[in-house]
Structure formats: structure tokens, C-alpha cells
Amino acid sequence: MGRPLLLRLRASRSPLQLRCPEPCVQAAWLQKVRRSSTLPQPSIASLLAPSPASAHLRTTPSVGETITVNGFVRTVRKQKRIAFAAVGDGSSLESLQVVLNPEQADGLSTGIAVAITGQWKESPSGKEQTYELQAEQIRILGQNDATTYPLQKKYHTTEFLRTLPHLRPRLPFNSLILRLRSQVISQITNFFARQDFVQTHPPIITSSDCEGAGEVFTISTNPISSGVDKQSSLSRRDDQFFQSPKYLTVSTQLHLEALAQSVGKVWTLSPTFRAEKSDTPRHLSEFYMLEAEVAFVEKLDQIMDLVENMLREVARSLKASRVGQELLHARGSGWDEESSESSVTQEILAKRWQGFIDGPWRRITYTEAIKILTAAMVQRKVIFEFTPCFESGLQAEHEKFLAENVGLGGPVFITDYPRRLKPFYMAPSIESLENTNAGATVACFDLLVPEVCELAGGSMREHRLRELLESMDDRGLKRPVANHLDDQISDWPLQWYLDLRRYGSVPHGGFGLGFDRLLGYLSGVSNIREIVAKPRSKSPRIHPSTYKQLLHCLTNTTLAARILWGEVDFMATHERTAVEEVEHDYESLPPNFSLSANMLAGAFAGIAEHSVMYPIDLLKTRMQVVNPSPTAVYTGISNAMITISRVEGFRTLWRGLSSVVLGAGPAHAVYFASYEAVKHAMGGNDGGKHEHHPLAAAVSGASATIASDALMNPFDVIKQRMQLHGSVYKSLGHCAKTVFRTEGFTAFYVSYPTTLCMTVPFTALQFMAYESISKTMNPTGRYDPYTHCTAGGLAGGFAAGFTTPLDVIKTLLQTRGSATEPELRNVSGLWQAATIIKRRDGYGGFFRGLKPRIITTMPSTAICWSAYEMAKAFFIARNEAR
């Protein structure tokens, strides 16, 4: 039997002995460890906010009592004579303040695991905490590389945190979500126990696709090589562990039906898997489904009552719990990383819970829902991308409208869907049975809630054998060898499921609820990927725009090791498959954002920019002209404006505006469409709204200006000809015809090379500056008019100052036809124009009009970016509303 346990323990070489080789030191150290291990070790939550339910257990220490606290250091603040550490253990959103001396604080850093023994004292200030821990002894339990620890005390984007699924639960709000999950599971378990339900564990590996949508993961022990046909490989029995195709379950409902007929009422909370390509904030490939099945029920209302009572109790318990209060506090104080990007405030979250508790839980039929949606469109209350139709089902935009307007911002049941939109196992609705003229509908429901849309779904099950066979035959589930409904049941798929109808079937029904969606709704987290510890969704293909992200990740050795070991699968990046709405960042337009909407946003920005600042642009042109007439010489901007208004009339300041309006719209439409397309192609949107890509911004800006200037250059020539003093052109058409007839078509593009030489560096500098300034001013990336206006103005002024010499050359080339001197009229290229300017006015000539150019450009670019971002925000909001 071996030596006694005590002897074996004595013979072992413990780590304590290895670390303390001197016997006397070792004995003292062991005595101190044993003493600290016997001290009270309460959780931080019990110290900061003891639960009333556990008050009789006396978990809160008395003042002066010595206790030991375990946890992670969140922050360390060191002063000359004292230091403060905030320690958290995941049990509370708040951290515990620990007071240390400078020597004790040495070696402490954010993220390090410690055990701190000290006295429980009242806090002198008492502003943030009533009590604090005055440390006497600190033990570092695990080393921490402070220089590379990724979770420092600063803002972290949700995209970045998804690349650290093993570390992000340490953040206070993420640990709160874990505690929320645990609490809701406990509440649901207690609810079903009081209702005499039996908790079960149906199989995860199944032979059936319950939903019939084909979105299943196939189980195989042999990897399929690229050179082998997938179907033929799966059909070979020797390649299959189970000798027949098996799948990861998409729903445990069919098995629950069998179990319910043995004990009456069953429920389960189990993982389910969907191989669908939807890449939205509401979809995952692996998620948890809460499902229940009840035998001997004949009305759908009984199932809906069950769902309603369960969710009402969950909300009521959550509202009264510590977790619930911390969730409200987090939404009100910005504790969570996601709150800065979410529209769910503390008030909205509390209203959600109260909506579950008080209702009203509206119930309408699918037919009524279609009528409501159609009437809303006719009355122009809403614009839907997909027209509501009885045969097409409800889209996400329809569900959102119904939840907000019919459910009054709360839950609403939609019942009795058309049979062809639902799976084969659903029983016909009462209306279909009583009225043969009515459309074929089934007794089912979808529970809709705001933002999340569908939260749960359920139905009455078809318990009659012949009717079930007919439904399966209609859906093509009958084996090819069978030709009649009277064939042997063994010829049908799901034989065991049909046996439930052959051998004592009873009326029954049930429901399934997306558990992770429920947690997201209760916590106010809009993206399901922030609810799940390690979210699994459709893996991306590696394309050129991802290489830059790969390179960035591989420069971090810790992250590179995790990539190589398969622990990181770039969960922050997803292949965009336009199946439903696609999650997108504000900085990048959504993939299904139409080209027309993109170009419309750009056209709006261009017209707004040039129209507002046109008078200043005219002054710039006048001041940049080489050898102007004596009456058109100005000493400054104010002098120029006063002189022109007095001598030529105020309306002269707007001459040529029609050319800008006509050209700026199409040119800026091409400009911003090219910018977004090139930026996306270069991976400028891949890093999320908080990551800066200066190279992508510069190249996309340069590409945009090359395309737009080709369209805008003729209109710019006409504009400047009409802006000159003494211009003889009466209109845009008159100017265009005259220039074409006297100088030829090349006159409209003689300055195009110079324009590109100026606008390419100008736009590259402007876009780089704009991206950098906007990222600095607005790290969250949300739509912020102040940021877009300020960043656009500063970026434009910066770029304008550097490119003014090229603008002077461009003005000379574009106005040569109006010059009186032969030398100026015959100038034909950039270098020739530069030589003339240098010879006549020196280097200072290249900076004529610098001040009006900057004054023009700064508000112009501010207006342009503000208008464009506003249009983007409008179209994105409209897209999301659908």
C-alpha cells in the first residue's frame, strides 16, 4: 500500500524548502505563512459592501482586526512617504484601497497578484471608501512582466480586448459579466425547480439538424485535404468515427421532447453550434441555449406564460441583487470599456429590467405585425429597406420597429407565423384548424426585445403521427426509396423521433432562449462577443489587408507565441459576409453601404465646402495673379474685400460659384468614394476605429485626389477665369465655350500635372494630419462634430501652408489665357511657370496669398469633413435602423 501519507509528505521537497535553505530562516518564514493562512480571508466584495443576506455570518471585520486579502493590483500610486494600491479580486466592481509605505510598494505594478495582510482601519478621508487596509505584510504570489502587461489603466477598445480572451476577464466589468452569468443561471435553476422541472443534459453530438437549415458542424476524426472531394470523403464510412454522419447540435429540442414524455417537464442550458455566416453583434458559432419542454399542454399561451414568468423573476432578482446595482453603477459611471460606444445608459438599463417586471407583455399575431409594418410605411412613419410581406418573414429592421413601437420599448410576442417559414415539427395554429380558408400558420412565437430583436422562440409540437409525416414529406425529409406515407416508418429519417408519436404521444410544447443574448440585454452590452469568455465566430480568410495586422501582432513576442499555439484566432477580425446586418466601426462605412449613398455624402461635403468659403477663395485667386492690373492690386484680405465690394459690387465675390457647385458635387463624390475604397483595400479599417493607419490614410487621400481632380480641373479653370478682375465671361457656359474655341481643350488640363503635384502632397498631408488629430481628440471613434470640425480645420491649414508655392504656380497656369503679357500667355509647364515667378518676385512670390489660402483652407476643410462625417453618420444610422 506504500508509506503512510504523513511520511510521504515529509519526504517530499516542497517549494518552501527550496526557497528557504537556512533552517532558522525557513522556520520563521513557515511560521509567518501558517499564521497568515489562518487569518480571515474575506472577499473584497464582502469588505466593501457586505450582503444583507449574509449579515449573520459576520463577514465584515471589526476595526483593528488583522485580515488577509488576495487579489490583483489594479493601480499603484506612490508618494514620498506613503503609497496607495487599488486591489481587486473580481468579486466587486470597486477595488480595495491598501495603504503601504514606499518600501512595501517596491516591486508592485499593475496586474501583479498579491496576498496582503494588514489591519482593517477607518479611512481618514472617507470620500471613496469608508475603510481601508493598512498593510503589514505583502507577499507576491506570481511574477508579472509590468513592461509588457497589456491591461494597463487606460482605455482599451473592445476589438483589442477580444485578442486577449484569457486576460480580459480580469477587468472589473468583464468579471462582473461572469458574475451576472452565474447569478442568472442560479435564478433560472431555482425558478425551474419550484415549477417541478427536471434539469437534463441532452447530447451535444447528434445525427439530426433540428432547425433544418443545414447550418451544422460535421464531426470527423480525419482532416479533409484540399485535394479530396469533401462530400465523397464524408460519405466513406471508414472515415467516420460513428459510422454515420454526426453533427454538433444546433438545438436539443428533439431530445428534450423525448425526455419530457418521461418526467413531464424538462429544461437544459447547454452549448449549441451554428455554422451560419451571419457576422452581426447578435450571432456566434458557439453559444448557450436555454431550452425547456412541457408535456400535456395544449395551448401556446401556456408556453408564453412560462417564458414571461421566468424572465420577470430573473429581472426582479437582478434588480434587488448586488450584481444588478453594480451593473447600473457601471453604466452610470463608465466603468465598462463598451459603455463609451453604447447608447444604453443607466436609465435605459433600469427601464429594461422594469419592462420585464411590469410589462406590458404584448402579444400579436404575425398577420397583425405585417399590417402594422405596412401601415407605418404607408403613413411614412418609417422607411424599410425590405418591404414587409406575409410570405417573406420579418427582417431585423421590422423586428426592431415592432419592439420599439408595439412593445413600447419592452418585450412583445409575435405568434402564428406562416407554416412555410418554420420547421417541420410545429403544430398548426388554432386559426388554421378552425378556418380552412385561413392561411396555413403554425402555433409558434418569437419574443422580440429592443436592440437584440429575437430573444426566444417556441411552439406547440406536432404530436400526431400522420400530420408529422405529411409535414416532413412537404419539407423533403422523406427518404428517396419511400413513395407513400403508408411506407414503413423505418424508411423515414429521424425514426426515433417518429416513435415518440407512435407510442403514446401527448400534446406538448416548448421554447428556446438565447442565453448569451439575454445576458447582453440585461447588462446593456450590445455585442454578444463581449458577453462570451472566448467568442467563436466565422474565421476570417487572410487577405492582404490583414498582413499588416499580422506583422503588428508578431512584433509582440507574447502575442506571437499565442498565435502559434492557436490560442488567438484574430477574433477581432471577421470576414464580412453580407447575410444580415454587419457590425461595423464608425470610421469605416459598412460593407453594404451603397455606392450612391457614399457618393452623395461626398457631394454634399464638396458643395458645402466650396459654397461657404467661395468669397475668400476669390480673394486668394486675385492676390496670386502674376502682374495684375493696377486696379487689382491689394494690400491684404480686408483691403481686397472692401475694394472689390466698393468698386465691382458685393455680388462679384460670388462670380463663378456655379462652376464650383456643378463640378464640386461630382468631383467630391468621386473623391470620397475613392478614399473609402482605397483605404479599405489597404487595411485602413481593419484595426478598428481606434487604430491609426497613416500610410493607408496618405495613399487613399492621394488616390482620391488623382481621380477627383481629373473631373474637377476644367471647372476650376472656369472658376478662376471668372474670378479675375475685369473678367469678360458672363456665365459658366460662356466661359467654357470661349476658352475651348480660342485655346482648345488642352487649356482645361494645362494645370492638371501641377494640380496633381500640389493636391497629392496636400491631400496626403491633410489626411494623415486629420486621422492623427481625430484619433487623438476622439479615441473612442464615435461621431463627434467638434472633433471632425477641429481636426479638419487644423489638418487643412497644415497642408495648405506647405503646398502654397504649388498653388501659386497652378493659378498662373490656369489664368494664363487672361494675361496681357506674351510670356505669361505662353507659359506651358510647371518649371517654366516657377522660373517666371522666381525671376520676377523671388522666393517670396511663391508665398503670395499664403494667408488667404490658409484662411480659406482651414474653414473649408473643417466644413468639408464635418459635412462628410455628418452625412456618413446619417446614412450609417439609417442603415442600422433597418
Side-chain angles (χ1 to χ4, degrees), residues 219-396:
I219 302 294
S220 175
T221 58
N222 297 319
I224 302 174
S225 62
S226 58
V228 179
D229 181 69
K230 180 177 180 180
Q231 296 298 328
S232 62
S233 176
L234 290 177
S235 63
R236 292 169 52 188
R237 288 184 176 271
D238 56 351
D239 283 346
Q240 296 169 355
F241 182 84
F242 296 101
Q243 299 302 307
S244 63
K246 293 294 184 289
Y247 316 98
L248 293 178
T249 182
V250 298
S251 172
T252 62
Q253 177 211 310
L254 302 186
H255 296 94
L256 287 180
E257 290 188 49
L259 300 177
Q261 295 189 20
S262 61
V263 292
K265 295 184 286 187
V266 296
W267 77 282
T268 186
L269 179 62
S270 61
T272 52
F273 307 86
R274 301 283 173 90
E276 60 184 353
K277 297 180 180 180
S278 297
D279 184 18
T280 79
R282 300 179 291 115
H283 289 88
L284 286 176
S285 297
E286 176 188 355
F287 57 96
Y288 269 75
M289 181 78 77
L290 169 66
E291 296 180 271
E293 202 72 23
V294 185
F296 303 102
V297 294
E298 300 185 46
K299 293 183 178 180
L300 185 64
D301 287 335
Q302 295 174 273
I303 305 299
M304 290 189 286
D305 290 342
L306 177 65
V307 176
E308 182 178 332
N309 293 335
M310 179 190 69
L311 294 179
R312 179 178 287 111
E313 180 159 329
V314 167
R316 185 182 294 115
S317 301
L318 178 60
K319 182 180 178 181
S321 68
R322 175 191 295 164
V323 169
Q325 296 306 310
E326 288 187 341
L327 281 171
L328 292 176
H329 176 63
R331 280 295 167 191
S333 57
W335 260 96
D336 58 315
E337 302 286 346
E338 203 250 7
S339 64
S340 61
E341 304 169 12
S342 175
S343 59
V344 180
T345 62
Q346 186 181 62
E347 293 73 19
I348 293 177
L349 190 60
K351 184 179 178 181
R352 284 184 177 183
W353 301 350
Q354 204 62 41
F356 271 179
I357 297 172
D358 298 335
W361 291 72
R362 294 286 308 278
R363 299 180 183 182
I364 63 172
T365 64
Y366 175 84
T367 303
E368 293 172 336
I370 294 296
K371 291 180 180 179
I372 292 173
L373 295 171
T374 303
M377 286 195 66
V378 172
Q379 299 169 9
R380 299 187 180 277
K381 294 181 179 179
V382 65
I383 299 176
F384 293 125
E385 181 179 357
F386 299 96
T387 303
C389 179
F390 186 85
E391 295 79 11
S392 302
L394 298 178
Q395 302 294 326

Side-chain angles (χ1 to χ4, degrees), residues 794-809:
L794 293 176
F798 169 78
F802 276 88
T803 57
T804 295
L806 291 169
D807 190 57
V808 174
I809 297 174

Side-chain angles (χ1 to χ4, degrees), residues 356-566:
F356 271 179
I357 297 172
D358 298 335
W361 291 72
R362 294 286 308 278
R363 299 180 183 182
I364 63 172
T365 64
Y366 175 84
T367 303
E368 293 172 336
I370 294 296
K371 291 180 180 179
I372 292 173
L373 295 171
T374 303
M377 286 195 66
V378 172
Q379 299 169 9
R380 299 187 180 277
K381 294 181 179 179
V382 65
I383 299 176
F384 293 125
E385 181 179 357
F386 299 96
T387 303
C389 179
F390 186 85
E391 295 79 11
S392 302
L394 298 178
Q395 302 294 326
E397 57 179 343
H398 304 151
E399 294 178 342
K400 290 180 180 179
F401 180 85
L402 292 172
E404 293 292 343
N405 295 273
V406 178
L408 302 179
V412 56
F413 287 103
I414 310 297
T415 66
D416 303 309
Y417 281 72
R419 170 178 289 279
R420 72 178 198 85
L421 298 179
K422 292 297 180 179
F424 70 93
Y425 52 74
M426 293 187 177
S429 59
I430 297 176
E431 289 77 6
S432 295
L433 293 174
E434 294 177 350
N435 185 5
T436 56
N437 295 326
T441 59
V442 288
C444 66
F445 70 84
D446 282 346
L447 175 61
L448 309 181
V449 294
E451 188 174 340
V452 175
C453 296
E454 182 187 350
L455 181 63
S459 71
M460 297 299 297
R461 320 306 191 190
E462 180 58 80
H463 66 284
R464 301 166 299 174
L465 177 60
R466 185 171 185 84
E467 285 73 7
L468 180 61
L469 291 174
E470 290 177 350
S471 179
M472 294 176 66
D473 186 54
D474 291 340
R475 303 302 177 88
L477 296 178
K478 189 172 182 293
R479 289 184 60 179
V481 296
N483 297 315
H484 303 287
L485 297 179
D486 296 330
D487 288 336
Q488 295 295 322
I489 299 300
S490 59
D491 290 333
W492 290 77
L494 293 175
Q495 177 185 352
W496 66 270
Y497 187 70
L498 297 175
D499 283 347
L500 300 177
R501 276 65 181 170
R502 295 177 66 191
Y503 305 125
S505 178
V506 300
H508 60 286
F511 72 89
L513 180 145
F515 189 68
D516 302 302
R517 287 188 184 181
L518 173 63
L519 296 181
Y521 185 72
L522 293 175
S523 63
V525 176
S526 58
N527 197 318
I528 196 173
R529 297 184 182 96
E530 274 46 86
I531 291 294
V532 179
K534 286 196 173 185
R536 304 300 185 193
S537 58
K538 189 178 186 300
S539 299
R541 294 190 181 100
I542 301 298
H543 51 83
S545 62
T546 310
Y547 292 152
K548 187 174 182 180
Q549 184 182 5
L550 280 169
L551 182 61
H552 170 73
C553 293
L554 291 174
T555 57
N556 184 320
T557 54
T558 304
L559 186 57
R562 290 175 25 238
I563 294 172
L564 294 175
W565 284 103

Side-chain angles (χ1 to χ4, degrees), residues 73-131:
V73 175
R74 292 181 181 173
T75 60
V76 180
R77 182 162 49 93
K78 299 178 183 179
Q79 300 179 2
K80 186 174 181 180
R81 298 181 180 180
I82 197 172
F84 300 92
V87 179
D89 62 354
S91 64
S92 171
L93 194 65
E94 302 288 346
S95 57
L96 174 66
Q97 178 171 287
V98 180
V99 182
L100 316 96
N101 58 49
E103 291 75 18
Q104 291 173 327
D106 285 343
L108 295 187
S109 61
T110 299
I112 198 167
V114 294
I116 302 177
T117 301
Q119 291 190 1
W120 187 245
K121 297 285 188 177
E122 291 187 0
S123 178
S125 61
K127 293 181 179 179
E128 296 184 0
Q129 291 183 183
T130 307
Y131 296 91

